[in-house]
Amino acid sequence: MEINEMKKRLKEDLTKKRYEHTLGVAYTAASLAMCYKEDVHKALLAGLLHDSAKCLSDKDKLKCVKKYKLSVTKAEKDNLELLHAKIGACFAEDIYDVHDEEILSAIRCHTTGKANMSALDEILFIADYIEPNRKELPGMDEIRYLAFHNRTDCIVMIIENTLKYLEGKKSLIDDSSKDTYDYYMKKQESERSE
Ligand code: FE
Ligand code: FE
């Protein structure tokens, strides 16, 4: 499917706000890819499609879980919202005809991150947090600066903020978020002692 066709479909499936966010993430991811000499087109596609399942009702999310035979973690059961990442990767293949495993992986882990992410995974994870339409969260200036200078430090700071937010909401913290945090804390330590 062509980019313009994808945008048209996304515009239909998403709220106006979510569509604007989607474009922000797509262009931010592309810029990060330029900065780190990664594949700009893949970053753009990952950004465009990452929230393609975000505006589904809970009922439709559960239908998709069945349809695509997805496994559901405890945290996902508690917070169905989290499922939009896995379902988004299925939509990328099924609706948008994108089968590149690097792109699908980035979409799949964009909400919680995971240990040892690929460069593209990291780029999408960061772009989702810093895109210009995002409301100003604490520490955002620093996070946006780090995004283009040190991805490990940037990811650590994003997760610290996210964990604080989730603790405040008393939501269950997904194991993947904890794994991501532990992994990138260690990575930061070893990079600093180099
Ligand atoms: Fe998302
Ligand atoms: Fe998003």
Side-chain angles (χ1 to χ4, degrees):
M1 199 188 274
E2 284 207 41
I3 297 270
N4 277 336
E5 230 179 301
M6 289 182 181
K7 284 189 185 164
K8 222 174 109 192
R9 172 75 197 243
L10 288 164
K11 209 173 181 179
E12 283 166 12
D13 288 353
L14 302 176
T15 62
K16 190 170 180 291
K17 218 181 129 206
R18 185 58 48 182
Y19 180 69
E20 305 267 305
H21 162 72
T22 290
L23 294 184
V25 174
Y27 297 132
T28 303
S31 308
L32 285 166
M34 292 172 200
C35 173
Y36 292 110
K37 300 193 173 71
E38 294 294 330
D39 190 314
V40 174
H41 186 67
K42 284 189 188 190
L44 184 78
L45 284 178
L48 267 184
L49 300 178
H50 84 285
D51 272 346
S52 57
K54 181 79 174 185
C55 296
L56 293 179
S57 65
D58 284 352
K59 210 177 144 200
D60 286 339
K61 283 198 185 82
L62 292 171
K63 271 190 198 163
C64 287
V65 166
K66 265 201 183 152
K67 182 178 175 192
Y68 297 119
K69 299 189 173 71
L70 298 172
S71 59
V72 179
T73 65
K74 227 173 124 197
E76 285 168 342
K77 215 176 257 173
D78 179 67
N79 179 7
L80 292 179
E81 203 52 36
L82 288 173
L83 281 170
H84 80 274
K86 280 181 189 170
I87 300 171
C90 298
F91 279 6
E93 283 208 273
D94 193 21
I95 300 175
Y96 297 91
D97 207 21
V98 170
H99 305 282
D100 183 291
E101 196 36 56
E102 286 179 5
I103 297 174
L104 300 177
S105 157
I107 297 174
R108 226 174 269 132
C109 71
H110 84 263
T111 310
T112 58
K114 63 179 182 187
N116 199 10
M117 288 190 273
S118 72
L120 189 65
D121 294 341
E122 293 184 0
I123 283 171
L124 180 60
F125 182 80
I126 293 169
D128 193 26
Y129 199 86
I130 66 164
E131 65 94 3
N133 303 298
R134 272 267 191 234
K135 69 166 186 264
E136 294 297 315
L137 302 159
M140 193 57 126
D141 291 346
E142 174 76 2
I143 291 173
R144 282 183 170 141
Y145 173 85
L146 286 174
F148 290 88
H149 294 84
N150 186 318
R151 295 206 303 273
T152 301
D153 289 353
C154 181
I155 289 167
V156 166
M157 219 180 145
I158 289 174
I159 300 170
E160 273 170 356
N161 276 15
T162 307
L163 292 180
K164 251 183 246 159
Y165 170 80
L166 288 177
E167 273 160 24
K169 277 211 323 185
K170 302 231 180 314
S171 288
L172 206 63
I173 294 162
D174 196 297
D175 285 340
S176 326
S177 299
K178 273 184 237 148
D179 290 350
T180 315
Y181 188 62
D182 294 344
Y183 178 88
Y184 282 91
M185 280 294 281
K186 266 190 212 131
K187 192 170 183 199
Q188 187 177 53
E189 252 170 59
S190 74
E191 280 176 10
R192 281 187 179 165
S193 62
E194 261 166 27

